[in-house]
Amino acid sequence: MIRGYNTREYGISYFSRLVGLLFQDPDSQLVCPTVEDEVAFGAENYAVPPEEIKRRVDENLKLMRIKRYRERNPHRLSGGEKQACALAAVITMLPKIFVLDEPTSNLDPIGSHMVLDLITSLAKRERRTLVIVEHKLAELLPLVDRVIVMNEGKIILNGTPQDFIENADKMAEIGLKPPQVSLLADKLKKYIPSIPPLLTLEEAIKFLPQILDRTKVKNSFNSLHQEKREFKSSNRPVIETQDLWHVYPGGTTALKSMNLKIYSGEYVAIVGQNGSGKTTLVKHFNGLLKPTKGRVYVYGEDTFKKRIDELSTIVGYCFQNPDFQLCCRTVEKELRFGPENVKLPEKEIEKRVKDVAEIFGLKEYFNENPFSLSKGQRQKLAVASILTMEPKILIVDEPTTGQDYKTGKNMMEFYKRLNERGRTVIIITHDMNLAAEYAKRTIVLKDGEVFMDGSTREVYSQAKKLEETYLKPPQITELFQALSDYGLPPDVLTVDEATNYVVEHIIHRGE
Amino acid sequence: MAFEYVPGNTFFHRLDPRVKIALIAAFIVMAVSFSDPIWLGCVYFSLLMIIRYCKLPWDRVKGFLKGITLVVAVYMLFNTIYPPVTLSDPLIFFYLIPPSSLPISLDGIVWAIGAVVRFLIILTLLRVMLMITPMKQMILALVKFGLPPEFGLALTTGFGYLPVLADENQKIMEAQQARGFRYGYRNPIKKFKALFTQLLIPAISNSMRRTQDIAIAIESKGFSYDPRSRTYMHSIKFQKTDYVTLAVTVFILVFAVLARPIFGWANYTFTLSLIKNLML
Ligand SMILES: Nc1ncnc2c1ncn2[C@@H]1O[C@H](COP(=O)(O)OP(=O)(O)OP(=O)(O)O)[C@@H](O)[C@H]1O
Ligand SMILES: [Mg+2]
C-alpha cells in the first residue's frame, strides 16, 4: 500500500508521481538524448508548468555540478556524473516520496556529502518522505530520523541512529560499518567504560580531549613514521606515461600532459573528483584508449602498437560498470573465458577457476546466468573473471561500489595478498577509508592533471589541499587533524592506529 | 554518431524546427527535380556553406562521406550504364562487353554524376539538419504537425538510445578483448567469424536488457501518465526570422518545382551540351 493506494491496482506511471525511484545503476535509467532533457523528462510527463521545470532543472544541474554538460548525451559522462544526472532527474520530479537506491555510490566524498545533505534538507523543507538505501553510514546516520537494517531479507533493526551505534558491534558482525568515530568509541570502551557512543565527528572532537593526557601528548611524536615511497630506486617502472593527452571525440580534454610512473609491485590508489579523468587514464594502460598525444609504455612497450588482446595477459582491467564486461551464459563460462582465449592448458584453467571461485564465494552460482545475480555479485564476478587471467598488473575501477563494508574489505584483502605476491595493483575508488587503509601510494587527479602524488600518509595529511578537489581524508584522520592542538598526529589512517595511539596517551582514570 | 546534435547558436541552429523541416523539403524537391550536375553541384555547394557557417565538425561530415564511398561508386556505375532516361543519340566511348552491350557514354556519365550529387545532397542534408537540431525539437515539430505525442516521445528516447547501443557493442567488444579475445584480424572471414561467435549473443541480450530497462525507466518517470497534456520545458515558437526564412523557403520550393517542367532549366542536357560544344 502506498498512501492508501494498493500497489497492485495501479500502473507504474501512476505511482511514480508519488514515489520517485532512483535505481542503483545509472546506465540503465538515462533515456533522453541530452542531459537537460533527461533531467526535465519526468517533470514534463507530470505536466509541471514549463517555467517551473526550467527553474528546477537549472537549480538541480548546478547543485549536481553537471551544468556544463547540459547538451551532452548523458551516456557520454563519467561514472559519477551519470549518477548525478540520474539523481537530478528524480529530484526535479519532486515526488511525494523519494526512494533512492545508493544514490552516491559513484560520487566523490564531498560531492556525496553535499548530495545527501541536499536531499535530506529538501525532504524536510518540502515535507517529503525520503527512503535511502546506502552503505555510506558515516555521512548518512547523522542526517536521518530512522534506520532500518536488513539482513538476508529480514529486518533486524528498526530504530533511531542512536540505537544503531549502540549496537555497533552487532552491526559490524553482519558486514555493516558504523562511522569510524563510533568504532573508535567502541574500541576505547575496554579502557574507559564510561565513554558514550559517538555518532558524529563533532561529538568526537568535543569528547576526545577530555580523556587525553595533555602532558603526555605534548612532547610526543608529531607525526607517525614518515614512510617514503620504497619503490622508486629498486624496481623498474611497469607503466609509464609521457606527456599523455586525451581528447574525447566531442572535444572534451580529459587528460592533460600526464607524466606518471608506476613501479613493479606497487599498490596504488587513484582518487579524484568526478570527471577528473581516472577512468580515462587507466583505460590507456591496457590499450582500450589510445593517446591523442604522448606515449604510454607498459613493460617498456608502446601501447600504441599493441592490440588490446595482446596486452590482456599483462594488464587486467575491471570496468566501472560490470555489466559491460559479462558476456557468457553461465558464471563458470565467464570465469573460463579469459584463460581459454589465451589458450592455457585445461588443467591450469580448472585450477584457477576453482581457486578464484572459492575466494569470491561464486561456487554455488556456477551454472547460473551472470545477469540473474545481484549487482554486487556481478561486480564480484567481473573482478573474478579478470583474476583468472592472472595479469601482472591489476586495475580495478571502483571495486567496492554497491558492496557492503565486509565484502569491500574482503576484496581489498584479496588484492593485498596478490600485491604481496608481487602483482602491481591499481585501484580507483571514492572510498577513502579503504584507499587509506590499503594503498601505499595515492595519486590524486584533478581536471585531467596529477594534483598530488605520494605516499598515502603524505597525501591524506594535507586535508586542505584535498578539499580543493572534493576529497577528504577518512573520518578518523579528520578527527585527529582537528585535534592537532593536542599533539595528535595528522596522518593516522585507520581506526586501529587511532585506537593504539589514544590508548598510549590516555588518562587512566581512577589510577 | 549519426544522430547527434552539435550544440551551437548560429542562425540555422536557432530556426524553428518546423522551418527546418520546410527547408529540408525544399532541398529534397530541388534534388529530385534537377538532373543537371552543375545545378545540383550548386545546391550541394550551398549545403556545404551551411555546414561551414554552422561550424559543424568537418571530420564527422567527412567520415560519413567516406563511409558511403562504395555505395556511391556502385550507384554511379549503374547510372552510367542504365540511365533511367532515354538518351537521344548518345556519344558512346566504348562498351564494357564488346561489341554492343553495357555502353559507357558521355551522356550516361553526365547523368550519373548528377544522380550521385543528388544522392549526396539528400544524405548530407538529413545529416546536417540532425546535427543542428536537437532530436527533441525535431520530434516536437512533428508532434505539432499531428504525430501522436506518445509516438513522438518513443521516438525521442529511441533516437537518444541508438548511439548508446552502438557504443555499448563497442564496449562489449573491448571488454572481451581485455580478456584476451581477438577481434583485430586482417582476414575479413576470421574477423566475421569472431564477431559472429562472440559478439552476436551478448549484443542481442544486452540490447534486450536495455530495452527492458528503458521501458521501466521511462515508466517510472511517468511516461504514460498522460502524454497528451504533458508540458515541454522548451516550447517552440515562430520568431520574425522564422517567417522570413519560411517565405524564402517557399519561394525556393516553387522555383524548384517549376524550373524544369516550365522553363526547361536544370536538365542534365545543359551540362551535356556545354561539354559537347567545348569538344567540337
Ligand atoms: N565517452 C565520453 N565522451 C566524451 N566525454 C567523456 C566520455 N567519457 C568521459 N568523458 C569526460 O571526460 C572527463 C573524464 O572522465 P572520466 O570518466 O575519466 O572521469 P572519472 O575520473 O573516472 O570520473 P568518475 O569518478 O565520475 O568515474 C569528464 O569530464 C567526462 O565528462
Ligand atoms: Mg570513472
Side-chain angles (χ1 to χ4, degrees):
Chain A
M1 300 283 277
I2 296 178
R3 290 192 138 228
Y5 295 98
N6 189 329
T7 54
R8 282 170 200 234
E9 285 168 22
Y10 293 84
I12 305 179
S13 279
Y14 193 83
F15 281 109
S16 46
R17 193 173 50 120
L18 304 172
V19 184
L21 265 176
L22 179 74
F23 303 105
Q24 209 170 3
D25 174 15
D27 279 293
S28 67
Q29 55 190 318
L30 301 172
V31 291
C32 293
T34 68
V35 167
E36 182 186 76
D37 292 341
E38 184 66 49
V39 175
F41 186 71
E44 290 180 333
N45 286 333
Y46 290 119
V48 176
E51 286 315 309
E52 171 68 12
I53 299 183
K54 263 184 220 157
R55 194 189 61 71
R56 288 190 205 167
V57 168
D58 271 340
E59 188 179 311
N60 293 331
L61 286 178
K62 193 146 37 131
L63 288 171
M64 295 294 164
R65 297 181 287 153
I66 47 173
K67 194 156 186 168
R68 61 195 149 132
Y69 305 129
R70 266 194 119 103
E71 311 258 26
R72 200 185 287 173
N73 187 312
H75 288 270
R76 303 261 147 78
L77 295 173
S78 81
E81 290 160 353
K82 279 183 205 168
Q83 195 166 33
C85 177
L87 185 56
V90 174
I91 296 181
T92 304
M93 283 164 69
L94 205 59
K96 294 265 183 293
I97 305 172
F98 289 93
V99 178
L100 312 176
D101 193 353
E102 306 210 20
T104 65
S105 57
N106 277 302
L107 299 187
D108 48 44
I110 295 189
S112 34
H113 188 80
M114 280 166 35
V115 164
L116 290 175
D117 227 21
L118 169 90
I119 34 190
T120 42
S121 61
L122 178 85
K124 286 208 174 99
R125 192 181 72 218
E126 305 273 344
R127 308 181 61 74
R128 308 288 150 132
T129 311
L130 178 61
V131 180
I132 301 189
V133 181
E134 256 298 352
H135 291 302
K136 287 187 185 160
L137 301 176
E139 277 85 11
L140 198 60
L141 278 184
L143 298 172
V144 301
D145 306 319
R146 191 148 71 96
V147 185
I148 296 175
V149 179
M150 296 189 57
N151 190 28
E152 294 174 348
K154 279 201 287 279
I155 293 182
I156 57 172
L157 185 125
N158 184 350
T160 62
Q162 210 64 34
D163 295 337
F164 181 90
I165 53 166
E166 275 164 22
N167 293 304
D169 47 344
K170 206 163 113 206
M171 295 300 124
E173 243 163 61
I174 60 163
L176 289 178
K177 196 194 183 186
Q180 287 187 323
V181 291
S182 313
L183 278 182
L184 179 68
D186 205 50
K187 293 206 168 176
L188 288 177
K189 242 197 180 112
K190 233 179 26 208
Y191 308 94
I192 313 167
S194 63
I195 198 166
L198 298 174
L199 178 59
T200 65
L201 184 60
E202 289 70 33
E203 283 175 21
I205 293 175
K206 245 196 249 137
F207 175 78
L208 212 55
Q210 298 171 19
I211 59 162
L212 284 173
D213 183 346
R214 245 169 189 273
T215 55
K216 266 192 191 167
V217 179
K218 262 281 158 41
N219 36 20
S220 77
F221 212 46
N222 215 335
S223 162
L224 294 178
H225 1 273
Q226 284 289 345
E227 283 172 14
K228 283 279 167 261
R229 297 227 320 267
E230 311 130 47
F231 292 98
K232 230 164 206 165
S233 47
S234 54
N235 295 35
R236 63 176 184 136
V238 288
I239 294 177
E240 182 172 358
T241 71
Q242 290 176 359
D243 187 32
L244 169 63
W245 289 73
H246 191 83
V247 182
Y248 277 104
T252 321
T253 307
L255 298 178
K256 295 173 202 155
S257 188
M258 280 274 174
N259 288 297
L260 265 184
K261 280 190 182 131
I262 289 173
Y263 297 87
S264 170
E266 276 194 306
Y267 195 141
V268 186
I270 299 181
V271 296
Q273 73 192 76
N274 292 126
S276 54
K278 302 180 294 295
T279 301
T280 311
L281 175 65
V282 298
K283 277 188 173 172
H284 282 85
F285 296 165
N286 75 337
L288 277 177
L289 290 176
K290 304 284 181 194
T292 308
K293 196 181 141 223
R295 288 270 179 273
V296 178
Y297 297 96
V298 174
Y299 279 89
E301 292 202 70
D302 190 343
T303 60
F304 209 87
K305 297 178 194 124
K306 286 275 177 185
R307 289 195 317 267
I308 308 170
D309 55 287
E310 288 175 315
L311 287 166
S312 68
T313 49
I314 306 175
V315 186
Y317 171 65
C318 277
F319 284 63
Q320 191 163 358
N321 184 343
D323 291 358
F324 296 127
Q325 205 177 306
L326 303 176
C327 61
C328 300
R329 259 165 295 177
T330 66
V331 169
E332 184 180 10
K333 286 205 180 103
E334 202 66 65
L335 293 173
R336 297 176 66 98
F337 182 75
E340 273 174 6
N341 285 332
V342 292
K343 311 218 160 48
L344 285 177
E346 177 59 31
K347 248 201 168 139
E348 177 68 19
I349 299 183
E350 239 157 56
K351 185 177 158 295
R352 288 187 187 183
V353 169
K354 198 169 139 266
D355 289 351
V356 171
E358 198 115 342
I359 293 162
F360 283 78
L362 290 167
K363 260 254 161 77
E364 48 192 305
Y365 304 111
F366 254 16
N367 292 317
E368 293 207 22
N369 185 319
F371 284 97
S372 63
L373 304 178
S374 81
K375 170 109 181 183
Q377 286 169 326
R378 291 206 295 277
Q379 190 105 30
K380 265 199 259 181
L381 177 59
V383 177
S385 65
I386 294 288
L387 288 174
T388 51
M389 300 280 287
E390 302 200 348
K392 292 193 193 126
I393 305 170
L394 177 69
I395 305 171
V396 206
D397 203 343
E398 313 256 358
T400 56
T401 37
Q403 307 289 351
D404 60 49
Y405 175 68
K406 200 157 115 200
T407 319
K409 197 152 166 136
N410 282 346
M411 287 167 93
M412 298 298 270
E413 281 291 338
F414 181 71
Y415 304 142
K416 188 172 149 195
R417 284 202 297 281
L418 283 181
N419 178 247
E420 282 161 2
R421 278 187 266 142
R423 301 286 160 73
T424 309
V425 176
I426 302 172
I427 54 168
I428 296 181
T429 185
H430 289 301
D431 187 331
M432 299 299 137
N433 299 355
L434 286 180
E437 194 170 338
Y438 287 95
K440 301 203 184 81
R441 171 180 172 193
T442 300
I443 299 171
V444 183
L445 300 190
K446 184 178 183 233
D447 298 331
E449 289 174 280
V450 177
F451 184 63
M452 294 163 90
D453 180 0
S455 81
T456 302
R457 258 181 231 291
E458 271 171 61
V459 169
Y460 286 111
S461 60
Q462 304 175 51
K464 271 266 144 25
K465 203 165 170 198
L466 283 173
E467 208 171 296
E468 282 173 49
T469 173
Y470 283 89
L471 299 180
K472 58 181 177 188
Q475 197 183 32
I476 201 76
T477 316
E478 284 189 292
L479 172 65
F480 271 46
Q481 286 173 359
L483 295 175
S484 59
D485 282 353
Y486 293 86
L488 295 185
D491 56 355
V492 288
L493 294 177
T494 63
V495 175
D496 286 336
E497 277 178 17
T499 316
N500 290 342
Y501 195 86
V502 173
V503 168
E504 276 172 36
H505 301 285
I506 242 169
I507 311 168
H508 284 277
R509 294 178 187 196
E511 245 177 49
Chain B
M1 264 316 290
F3 304 104
E4 259 170 283
Y5 172 60
V6 181
N9 192 22
T10 64
F11 170 77
F12 287 100
H13 276 95
R14 282 192 308 262
L15 278 181
D16 187 284
R18 286 164 287 188
V19 178
K20 285 183 190 163
I21 290 178
L23 208 56
I24 293 176
F27 266 95
I28 289 183
V29 170
M30 279 196 282
V32 173
S33 89
F34 297 175
S35 66
D36 182 65
I38 293 180
W39 281 72
L40 285 166
C42 291
V43 175
Y44 197 65
F45 182 74
S46 59
L47 207 54
L48 293 183
M49 285 294 100
I50 295 182
I51 293 181
R52 252 197 90 143
Y53 177 76
C54 296
K55 301 205 177 66
L56 298 180
W58 184 238
D59 45 337
R60 257 162 76 178
V61 180
K62 217 166 55 188
F64 152 75
L65 289 178
K66 236 193 224 151
I68 56 171
T69 331
L70 187 68
V71 182
V72 166
V74 173
Y75 190 67
M76 168 114 188
L77 189 67
F78 257 95
N79 270 283
T80 314
I81 300 169
Y82 300 114
V85 284
T86 38
L87 309 170
S88 57
D89 184 24
L91 176 62
I92 292 173
F93 295 133
F94 61 91
Y95 292 94
L96 277 185
I97 302 177
S100 64
S101 39
L102 305 188
I104 299 291
S105 65
L106 179 67
D107 307 46
I109 291 175
V110 171
W111 165 269
I113 292 176
V116 163
V117 178
R118 168 187 305 145
F119 184 69
L120 288 179
I121 289 175
I122 294 179
L123 287 182
T124 315
L125 171 76
L126 292 178
R127 193 173 158 84
V128 168
M129 284 304 175
L130 288 177
M131 278 165 97
I132 60 171
T133 318
M135 184 47 69
K136 196 168 172 202
Q137 272 198 24
M138 203 51 121
I139 287 164
L140 196 53
L142 292 176
V143 170
K144 292 245 159 144
F145 284 142
L147 186 78
E150 298 89 329
F151 198 67
L153 279 178
L155 273 181
T156 318
T157 50
F159 276 115
Y161 239 83
L162 274 180
V164 175
L165 274 181
D167 273 9
E168 285 190 352
N169 291 347
Q170 187 67 33
K171 270 194 200 153
I172 294 173
M173 283 166 71
E174 286 174 354
Q176 291 173 342
Q177 283 167 292
R179 284 199 278 159
F181 190 77
R182 180 164 178 192
Y183 280 110
Y185 290 107
R186 282 195 192 280
N187 180 339
I189 296 175
K190 275 190 167 172
K191 187 162 185 164
F192 181 77
K193 195 177 154 234
L195 284 171
F196 192 77
T197 52
Q198 256 327 307
L199 180 64
L200 200 64
I201 290 173
I204 291 175
S205 59
N206 179 58
S207 62
M208 274 171 20
R209 218 172 32 248
R210 280 291 173 230
T211 319
Q212 239 174 21
D213 288 346
I214 301 174
I216 296 176
I218 62 179
E219 271 314 303
S220 73
K221 290 191 178 150
F223 172 77
S224 55
Y225 181 65
D226 185 4
R228 265 153 225 284
S229 58
R230 96 194 277 278
T231 48
Y232 294 86
M233 177 168 54
H234 299 298
S235 43
I236 47 178
K237 221 172 133 200
F238 263 55
Q239 308 293 333
K240 213 181 202 166
T241 48
D242 289 317
Y243 286 110
V244 176
T245 317
L246 189 63
V248 175
T249 309
V250 170
F251 179 76
I252 298 176
L253 202 73
V254 172
F255 172 78
V257 173
L258 300 183
R260 203 147 71 110
I262 309 259
F263 306 108
W265 292 341
N267 203 344
Y268 78 103
T269 47
F270 172 69
T271 307
L272 194 62
S273 58
L274 267 183
I275 297 178
K276 280 189 175 161
N277 280 337
L278 276 177
M279 281 170 36
L280 285 178

